[in-house]
Amino acid sequence: IASLSQAITPASGNKVLVLAQLTISGSAYNDGQPNVILFRDTTKIGYGTSGSSRIAVSIGVPAFSGAFHASVADNVSIHYLDDPSADGSTAFTYKIGLAIRGGQSGTAYINRPPTDSNSSEHSRASSSITVMEIKQ
């Protein structure tokens, strides 16, 4: 998600606190649902453990069902303290990625519900990512 990325060049030995807030929805209960993944550059960070057929993600978005979920999106957040082994001269880019649950096809929507009708029953929201250097 290009708009949900942020670069930082922390001083040597410092950590980076990543705060991300997303408004996200998926297409339908029977389709694959979106899962959120946090990256530092191309490295997946801040995720759970995988086991057997389960995938490791930062946030598993709940499955949607019924007409109610057609008009709402879920608000999810990530708070992760990263130790990128900073040397003071390297920029790191933190970004949010999406994966579809179960290897199925599906559509993920950011900042809007699956049904984006021009109606007061439907809303639009915002998402953000903030990175802060934590001095050690």
Side-chain angles (χ1 to χ4, degrees):
I1 306 170
S3 62
L4 289 174
S5 66
Q6 183 63 53
I8 188 171
T9 306
S12 181
N14 285 352
K15 296 183 179 183
V16 176
L17 179 61
V18 181
L19 305 170
Q21 173 274 321
L22 295 95
T23 303
I24 188 169
S25 63
S27 51
Y29 179 75
N30 293 326
D31 292 340
Q33 292 300 305
N35 289 298
V36 178
I37 304 168
L38 177 62
F39 287 91
R40 178 194 337 106
D41 297 326
T42 59
T43 302
K44 186 165 55 167
I45 60 173
Y47 56 92
T49 58
S50 61
S52 189
S53 297
R54 294 177 293 278
I55 60 173
V57 299
S58 302
I59 298 173
V61 177
F64 302 101
S65 62
F68 172 74
H69 281 109
S71 62
V72 298
D74 281 323
N75 193 339
V76 297
S77 62
I78 298 171
H79 301 160
Y80 183 72
L81 183 61
D82 186 33
D83 187 355
S85 299
D87 63 10
S89 65
T90 304
F92 299 100
T93 300
Y94 292 89
K95 53 193 167 190
I96 301 298
L98 296 175
I100 298 296
R101 171 182 63 90
Q104 300 172 5
S105 63
T107 304
Y109 302 99
I110 303 297
N111 301 332
R112 58 161 270 209
T115 304
D116 194 29
S117 300
N118 187 13
S119 162
S120 61
E121 297 294 318
H122 298 87
S123 60
R124 288 200 172 170
S126 65
S127 297
S128 64
I129 184 168
T130 302
V131 295
M132 291 185 269
E133 183 174 359
I134 306 297
K135 185 175 181 179
Q136 295 299 298

